[in-house]
Structures are given as C-alpha cells and as structure tokens.
C-alpha cells in the first residue's frame, strides 16, 4: 500500500487500499414529502429564484438563486450530470494517469471541468476561489459529517468561500443516498420527470427484484467482496457498506470476516497476505473497480489464479464508491443478479 493510501486509512479508517468501503445498514427517512416551497425543507426547492436545501448534517443552505457555479466531489458531479445538472469544478479521482476519465467520473466530459484535485489531500483552493463557487457538494462517510475528499488542512479556508451540502453514505443502504441525490438534483434544476431519469429508477427497482429472486433461488452461492493492492488482498464485510448492505438485505449470501479481523482500519475489512488469499471459499468474487485498486486482469499472484471462483470465471466488478444515480446503479445490481443466476458452486 502506498504512503498516501496508508495515510488515508490512518486518518479516516474508511478504505482498504481502495477496496473495502464501509457504509450502512438501514434505510433512513429521506426528506419531507409535504414541503413544497423554498424554505428549510429536506428535499430542497427553487421558487421565485431562491434556493434552499437541508442536507444530511441537518444544515440548511439558503441562497438568493439556484446555484450556477457548483463544485462537487467527482462521483457526486457524475450523479448530478445524469440528471442534467452540470458542475464547474470537481475534486477527487477524475483523470487517470493516461489522461482518460476515471471510473468515478461517469459520463462527464472531463475536458470541460476544472479539476481542483485528483488525489487524496489535493485541493487547489486558489482555483476553487477563482470559480466563484455558489456551493460545494460532497458525500460523507462518517457520523461527524466530514466532507469526503475535502482536506482537513484547508477545510476552513474552503468553507469560507461557499456554503456546502453533504449527502450521507454512512450507516444506510444505497436506496437512501440514491433518493437524496434525486432530491438534490431536482432542487438544482434537474428534469426528474424526464424519461431517462424515471426509466432508470424503474430499471433499478426491476433489477433489485431480480437480485432478490436470484438470491432466494441460490442461497448456497457465497459471494466475497474484495480489493487488491501489491502487498495485500482485502475482504470487505457488509457492515456500513451501502451497496453490500443493500445486497445483503435482498438475500445475497456474503462471506463476512470475523469480528476480530474487522477491527482493522475502521472495522470493515480484513487484510490477507497473498499467501492466504484462499482463506475463504467463495463462489463469486466482487472486485473493487476503482483505479486505486489493482484490477483482476493485472493480478499476477499464483494463489489468486488458483482460486476456484477465478478459475471458473466467476469474478465481477464492484463499484465500492457507487455513482449515486439510478442509471449508474442499475448495472451494479444486474451484474450481481446475473452472476448468482449463472454461478457454479465452486467454493
């Protein structure tokens, strides 16, 4: 693991070499369905040119107009983009080393974006100020409401330049932040009645039902969520992980690291040496698809290649930091459903 990744673990205790995200168990109530004006509502609204949005910290941001100069964490920007809301600047994994769009950038044209920081602890405050930001938006991975990828060293300077909105991905299933992002996009001018948006929501619901049926029909199929670094292989527990907790609630049979192992790095994953990568007998392996993790095709360890699930071709990608639009989450659910439907019992 690189020093940067190690630093991230020590500060946040959230990620295992880009691998084991921990988010949440229970869906929470999302917004006040009765609120229709631009006041302090949970959903946010734009009326008579004004704008307000109550975020998941309980903070209500009020502006005289709907934000035009939006700066957001890359994954948040990608989700808003799917609903027709474009941002001016981004921070977080956006561009790969070869200049291509990072997986977390979704469908955005990154050449049109001002990238304030592409890695952890990187955020150009001067560039941020030059954008004259109306609002900054990010996700939150802890109960304290820490804005993801906003550096601790410069967070106070950043906070003085524009108000912020936080969408929580902590201690909840993926359906909760999906709904919150839907509400936020609508408040920012997204067309939530457009066929692209409504159809994606229906497809997500259909995919979820498909996964529920697949899990029920194949309860013996064991699934392991993993991530690879040069030194270690990480097995993620489902606790506090928005995607895994949702899949588990639908009946998917996950391999769970023991409690004593899950205390490492925040309590959500177990780190294994490559010599011990065969500790668990999985039928399907879900592998972190972020650029910070080594991808399955690039893993050269002989012990990995000998795993039954690998030999059977039963390895699928996992978006450990899902882009929170229904369109981007549909394939995550469908891929797992298909894998379970067609998997051989090999573990």
């Amino acid at each position: 693991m690189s020093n940067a990744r190690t630093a991230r673990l020590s500060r946040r205790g959230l990620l295992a070499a880009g691998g084991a995200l921990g988010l949440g168990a229970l869906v929470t109530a999302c917004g006040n369905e009765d609120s229709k004006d631009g006041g302090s509502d949970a959903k946010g609204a734009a009326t008579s040119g004004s704008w307000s949005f109550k975020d998941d910290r309980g903070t209500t941001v009020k502006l005289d107009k709907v934000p035009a100069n939006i700066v957001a964490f890359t994954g948040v920007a990608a989700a808003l983009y799917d609903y027709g809301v474009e941002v001016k600047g981004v921070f977080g994994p956006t561009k790969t080393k070869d200049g291509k769009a990072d997986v977390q950038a979704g469908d955005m044209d990154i050449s049109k974006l001002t990238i304030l920081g592409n890695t952890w602890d990187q955020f150009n405050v001067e560039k941020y100020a030059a954008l004259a930001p109306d609002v900054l938006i990010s996700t939150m991975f802890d109960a304290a409401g820490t804005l993801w990828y906003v550096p601790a060293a410069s967070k106070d300077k950043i906070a003085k330049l524009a108000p912020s909105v936080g969408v929580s991905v902590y201690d909840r299933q993926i359906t909760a932040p999906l709904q919150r992002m839907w509400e936020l996009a609508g408040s920012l001018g997204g067309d939530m009645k457009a066929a692209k948006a409504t159809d994606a929501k229906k497809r997500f619901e259909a995919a979820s039902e498909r996964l529920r049926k697949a899990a029920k029909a194949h309860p013996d199929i064991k699934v392991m969520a993993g991530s690879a670094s040069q030194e270690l292989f990480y097995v993620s527990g489902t606790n506090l992980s928005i995607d895994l907790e949702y899949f588990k609630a639908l009946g998917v049979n996950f391999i769970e690291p023991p409690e004593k192992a899950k205390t490492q790095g925040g309590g959500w994953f177990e780190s294994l040496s490559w010599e011990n990568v065969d500790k668990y007998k999985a039928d399907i392996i879900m592998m972190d698809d972020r650029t910070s993790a080594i991808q399955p095709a690039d893993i050269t360890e002989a012990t990995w290649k000998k795993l039954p699930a690998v030999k059977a071709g039963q390895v699928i990608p996992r978006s450990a930091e899902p882009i929170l639009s229904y369109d981007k989450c549909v394939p995550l659910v469908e891929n797992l459903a298909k894998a379970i439907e067609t998997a051989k019992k090999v573990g």
Side-chain angles (χ1 to χ4, degrees), residues 207-218:
S208 297
E209 180 60 18
R210 177 184 175 184
L211 179 55
R212 186 191 66 77
K213 290 180 178 178
K216 184 176 182 180
H218 305 279

PDB file of all heavy atoms in Angstrom, residues 207-218:
ATOM      1  N   ALA A 207     -34.275  -4.450 -11.342  1.00  0.00           N
ATOM      2  CA  ALA A 207     -33.015  -5.164 -11.103  1.00  0.00           C
ATOM      3  C   ALA A 207     -32.939  -5.658  -9.667  1.00  0.00           C
ATOM      4  O   ALA A 207     -32.457  -6.772  -9.407  1.00  0.00           O
ATOM      5  CB  ALA A 207     -31.831  -4.238 -11.405  1.00  0.00           C
ATOM      6  N   SER A 208     -33.423  -4.859  -8.731  1.00  0.00           N
ATOM      7  CA  SER A 208     -33.415  -5.246  -7.321  1.00  0.00           C
ATOM      8  C   SER A 208     -34.300  -6.458  -7.092  1.00  0.00           C
ATOM      9  O   SER A 208     -33.938  -7.381  -6.342  1.00  0.00           O
ATOM     10  CB  SER A 208     -33.881  -4.076  -6.450  1.00  0.00           C
ATOM     11  OG  SER A 208     -32.991  -2.986  -6.553  1.00  0.00           O
ATOM     12  N   GLU A 209     -35.441  -6.481  -7.741  1.00  0.00           N
ATOM     13  CA  GLU A 209     -36.335  -7.641  -7.609  1.00  0.00           C
ATOM     14  C   GLU A 209     -35.698  -8.878  -8.240  1.00  0.00           C
ATOM     15  O   GLU A 209     -35.813  -9.988  -7.712  1.00  0.00           O
ATOM     16  CB  GLU A 209     -37.678  -7.333  -8.274  1.00  0.00           C
ATOM     17  CG  GLU A 209     -38.693  -8.463  -8.208  1.00  0.00           C
ATOM     18  CD  GLU A 209     -39.072  -8.881  -6.795  1.00  0.00           C
ATOM     19  OE1 GLU A 209     -38.821  -8.098  -5.844  1.00  0.00           O
ATOM     20  OE2 GLU A 209     -39.609  -9.998  -6.626  1.00  0.00           O
ATOM     21  N   ARG A 210     -35.003  -8.681  -9.344  1.00  0.00           N
ATOM     22  CA  ARG A 210     -34.304  -9.799  -9.982  1.00  0.00           C
ATOM     23  C   ARG A 210     -33.241 -10.371  -9.049  1.00  0.00           C
ATOM     24  O   ARG A 210     -33.112 -11.599  -8.914  1.00  0.00           O
ATOM     25  CB  ARG A 210     -33.668  -9.339 -11.289  1.00  0.00           C
ATOM     26  CG  ARG A 210     -32.852 -10.409 -11.996  1.00  0.00           C
ATOM     27  CD  ARG A 210     -32.173  -9.864 -13.241  1.00  0.00           C
ATOM     28  NE  ARG A 210     -31.290 -10.849 -13.849  1.00  0.00           N
ATOM     29  CZ  ARG A 210     -30.517 -10.607 -14.907  1.00  0.00           C
ATOM     30  NH1 ARG A 210     -30.532  -9.401 -15.484  1.00  0.00           N
ATOM     31  NH2 ARG A 210     -29.731 -11.557 -15.397  1.00  0.00           N
ATOM     32  N   LEU A 211     -32.495  -9.479  -8.387  1.00  0.00           N
ATOM     33  CA  LEU A 211     -31.454  -9.934  -7.468  1.00  0.00           C
ATOM     34  C   LEU A 211     -32.067 -10.661  -6.282  1.00  0.00           C
ATOM     35  O   LEU A 211     -31.541 -11.690  -5.835  1.00  0.00           O
ATOM     36  CB  LEU A 211     -30.620  -8.751  -6.987  1.00  0.00           C
ATOM     37  CG  LEU A 211     -29.504  -9.065  -5.985  1.00  0.00           C
ATOM     38  CD1 LEU A 211     -28.551 -10.126  -6.521  1.00  0.00           C
ATOM     39  CD2 LEU A 211     -28.734  -7.799  -5.623  1.00  0.00           C
ATOM     40  N   ARG A 212     -33.178 -10.153  -5.775  1.00  0.00           N
ATOM     41  CA  ARG A 212     -33.848 -10.804  -4.645  1.00  0.00           C
ATOM     42  C   ARG A 212     -34.249 -12.233  -5.018  1.00  0.00           C
ATOM     43  O   ARG A 212     -34.040 -13.174  -4.246  1.00  0.00           O
ATOM     44  CB  ARG A 212     -35.083 -10.008  -4.225  1.00  0.00           C
ATOM     45  CG  ARG A 212     -35.772 -10.540  -2.963  1.00  0.00           C
ATOM     46  CD  ARG A 212     -37.119  -9.901  -2.748  1.00  0.00           C
ATOM     47  NE  ARG A 212     -38.057 -10.277  -3.796  1.00  0.00           N
ATOM     48  CZ  ARG A 212     -38.676 -11.447  -3.852  1.00  0.00           C
ATOM     49  NH1 ARG A 212     -38.453 -12.382  -2.932  1.00  0.00           N
ATOM     50  NH2 ARG A 212     -39.509 -11.711  -4.834  1.00  0.00           N
ATOM     51  N   LYS A 213     -34.802 -12.398  -6.203  1.00  0.00           N
ATOM     52  CA  LYS A 213     -35.232 -13.723  -6.658  1.00  0.00           C
ATOM     53  C   LYS A 213     -34.029 -14.645  -6.887  1.00  0.00           C
ATOM     54  O   LYS A 213     -34.078 -15.839  -6.572  1.00  0.00           O
ATOM     55  CB  LYS A 213     -36.046 -13.587  -7.936  1.00  0.00           C
ATOM     56  CG  LYS A 213     -37.416 -12.954  -7.731  1.00  0.00           C
ATOM     57  CD  LYS A 213     -38.182 -12.846  -9.051  1.00  0.00           C
ATOM     58  CE  LYS A 213     -39.567 -12.260  -8.824  1.00  0.00           C
ATOM     59  NZ  LYS A 213     -40.320 -12.107 -10.101  1.00  0.00           N
ATOM     60  N   ALA A 214     -32.958 -14.099  -7.446  1.00  0.00           N
ATOM     61  CA  ALA A 214     -31.755 -14.905  -7.694  1.00  0.00           C
ATOM     62  C   ALA A 214     -31.152 -15.394  -6.389  1.00  0.00           C
ATOM     63  O   ALA A 214     -30.752 -16.563  -6.265  1.00  0.00           O
ATOM     64  CB  ALA A 214     -30.733 -14.081  -8.472  1.00  0.00           C
ATOM     65  N   ALA A 215     -31.073 -14.500  -5.401  1.00  0.00           N
ATOM     66  CA  ALA A 215     -30.514 -14.871  -4.101  1.00  0.00           C
ATOM     67  C   ALA A 215     -31.371 -15.923  -3.417  1.00  0.00           C
ATOM     68  O   ALA A 215     -30.851 -16.858  -2.791  1.00  0.00           O
ATOM     69  CB  ALA A 215     -30.396 -13.629  -3.219  1.00  0.00           C
ATOM     70  N   LYS A 216     -32.668 -15.801  -3.552  1.00  0.00           N
ATOM     71  CA  LYS A 216     -33.586 -16.767  -2.935  1.00  0.00           C
ATOM     72  C   LYS A 216     -33.476 -18.129  -3.598  1.00  0.00           C
ATOM     73  O   LYS A 216     -33.551 -19.173  -2.937  1.00  0.00           O
ATOM     74  CB  LYS A 216     -35.023 -16.255  -3.028  1.00  0.00           C
ATOM     75  CG  LYS A 216     -36.037 -17.138  -2.319  1.00  0.00           C
ATOM     76  CD  LYS A 216     -37.425 -16.527  -2.369  1.00  0.00           C
ATOM     77  CE  LYS A 216     -38.433 -17.405  -1.619  1.00  0.00           C
ATOM     78  NZ  LYS A 216     -39.802 -16.808  -1.659  1.00  0.00           N
ATOM     79  N   ALA A 217     -33.271 -18.121  -4.915  1.00  0.00           N
ATOM     80  CA  ALA A 217     -33.177 -19.378  -5.668  1.00  0.00           C
ATOM     81  C   ALA A 217     -31.824 -20.062  -5.495  1.00  0.00           C
ATOM     82  O   ALA A 217     -31.708 -21.274  -5.703  1.00  0.00           O
ATOM     83  CB  ALA A 217     -33.435 -19.105  -7.148  1.00  0.00           C
ATOM     84  N   HIS A 218     -30.794 -19.292  -5.096  1.00  0.00           N
ATOM     85  CA  HIS A 218     -29.444 -19.856  -4.958  1.00  0.00           C
ATOM     86  C   HIS A 218     -28.820 -19.444  -3.618  1.00  0.00           C
ATOM     87  O   HIS A 218     -27.774 -18.789  -3.592  1.00  0.00           O
ATOM     88  CB  HIS A 218     -28.561 -19.374  -6.111  1.00  0.00           C
ATOM     89  CG  HIS A 218     -29.114 -19.662  -7.468  1.00  0.00           C
ATOM     90  ND1 HIS A 218     -28.992 -20.897  -8.083  1.00  0.00           N
ATOM     91  CD2 HIS A 218     -29.826 -18.872  -8.334  1.00  0.00           C
ATOM     92  CE1 HIS A 218     -29.571 -20.857  -9.270  1.00  0.00           C
ATOM     93  NE2 HIS A 218     -30.094 -19.643  -9.443  1.00  0.00           N
TER      94      HIS A 218
END
